[in-house]
Amino acid sequence: DIQMTQSPSSLSASVGDRVTITCRASQTISNYLNWYQQKPGEAPKLLIYAASTLQSGVPSRFSGSESGTDFTLTISSLQPEDFATYYCQQSYSHFRSFGQGTKLEIK
Amino acid sequence: EVQLVESGGGLVQPGGSLRLSCVASGFTFTDYWMSWVRQAPGQGLEWVANINQDGGEKYYADSVKGRFTISRDNAKNSVYLQMNSLRAEDPAVYYCARDAWMQYYDLWGQGTLVGVSS
């Protein structure tokens, strides 16, 4: 099975900050990597798919990149509504897997 | 409206069974793989199972293999999760999700809560 390792597990930042969350796959997954945002009491929301493609309606301050088996989600300028938990997920294998999540909190 | 609506959650005893349902609307159900994803209280997301468009391909997480069965009824635009031999580690919110182009989950239901307690 493909393991997805996210870091950090939690992050404190301020409005306007640039933040980066990293996800590492245990094997090659090409660009089959997606990012989701989840707020308390809500279902996850797709932000980015295929490592770097922004889902329709998602603000352009969100971006994704890849380098081998390392993937990055960047928020260029944090807004109050961005404080949430973020998950990466691989879709290279039929046996899907998620990272453990990164909780982004207000400093 | 494009949506997924889950139902069937509840509280069961250890070793008991429960059947979750997810009804899709607003899109061509037969175009998509479908998945179940769960989230234990205060924990992260865990993929549970997925099924292809005609129900002929199914995959399960090791944690549920042999106990849970995913199925679908395309005439009813529905996907199901039959959960048997429920354990103390199975309580969670169970989400139904649409697997767009077998690449990403672009549509999620609101979730249904499953509890296991004696």
Side-chain angles (χ1 to χ4, degrees):
Chain A
D1 293 357
I2 300 173
Q3 310 300 321
M4 307 301 296
T5 303
Q6 255 182 267
S7 61
S9 56
S10 64
L11 177 59
S12 294
S14 301
V15 172
D17 284 354
R18 178 185 180 90
V19 300
T20 298
I21 299 169
T22 299
C23 183
R24 173 169 290 175
S26 62
Q27 65 176 74
T28 183
I29 58 170
S30 187
N31 69 337
Y32 290 90
L33 189 284
N34 310 311
W35 291 98
Y36 301 87
Q37 176 193 65
Q38 188 180 33
K39 297 180 179 179
E42 298 183 4
K45 171 189 172 184
L46 177 68
L47 296 177
I48 288 171
Y49 62 92
S52 59
T53 303
L54 206 62
Q55 171 69 341
S56 175
V58 173
S60 59
R61 62 180 179 274
F62 292 91
S63 64
S65 64
E66 64 173 295
S67 176
T69 58
D70 291 340
F71 299 84
T72 300
L73 172 69
T74 299
I75 310 172
S76 60
S77 178
L78 274 174
Q79 298 301 300
E81 61 267 30
D82 299 337
F83 292 94
T85 301
Y86 293 84
Y87 295 93
C88 62
Q89 176 245 333
Q90 64 80 18
S91 55
Y92 181 83
S93 165
H94 285 299
F95 299 92
R96 309 290 201 232
S97 49
F98 289 87
Q100 76 273 26
T102 296
K103 186 173 184 179
L104 180 52
E105 299 175 307
I106 300 173
K107 184 184 287 184
Chain B
E1 181 182 1
V2 176
Q3 63 178 356
L4 299 170
V5 179
E6 302 99 332
S7 62
L11 183 63
V12 296
Q13 293 185 338
S17 298
L18 213 52
R19 188 196 195 209
L20 306 183
S21 299
C22 170
V23 179
S25 59
F27 64 95
T28 305
F29 183 65
T30 52
D31 282 349
Y32 295 89
W33 282 66
M34 297 296 295
S35 290
W36 287 96
V37 175
R38 69 183 180 182
Q39 187 168 37
Q43 302 301 309
L45 301 170
E46 179 188 16
W47 168 77
V48 172
N50 51 16
I51 187 168
N52 76 335
Q53 290 90 337
D54 67 7
E57 276 189 76
K58 305 174 186 181
Y59 300 89
Y60 298 93
D62 287 343
S63 58
V64 306
K65 193 170 184 178
R67 300 188 299 123
F68 290 12
T69 301
I70 189 171
S71 63
R72 65 191 293 162
D73 183 339
N74 288 338
K76 295 183 178 180
N77 284 353
S78 295
V79 61
Y80 308 100
L81 187 67
Q82 177 66 44
M83 303 186 296
N84 297 332
S85 303
L86 281 160
R87 301 171 178 170
E89 59 265 31
D90 293 321
V93 173
Y94 284 72
Y95 294 102
C96 169
R98 184 176 77 175
D99 196 336
W101 322 124
M102 286 187 62
Q103 287 195 43
Y104 50 86
Y105 298 129
D106 67 337
L107 182 65
W108 296 70
Q110 83 287 354
T112 187
L113 181 62
V114 172
V116 178
S117 175
S118 55

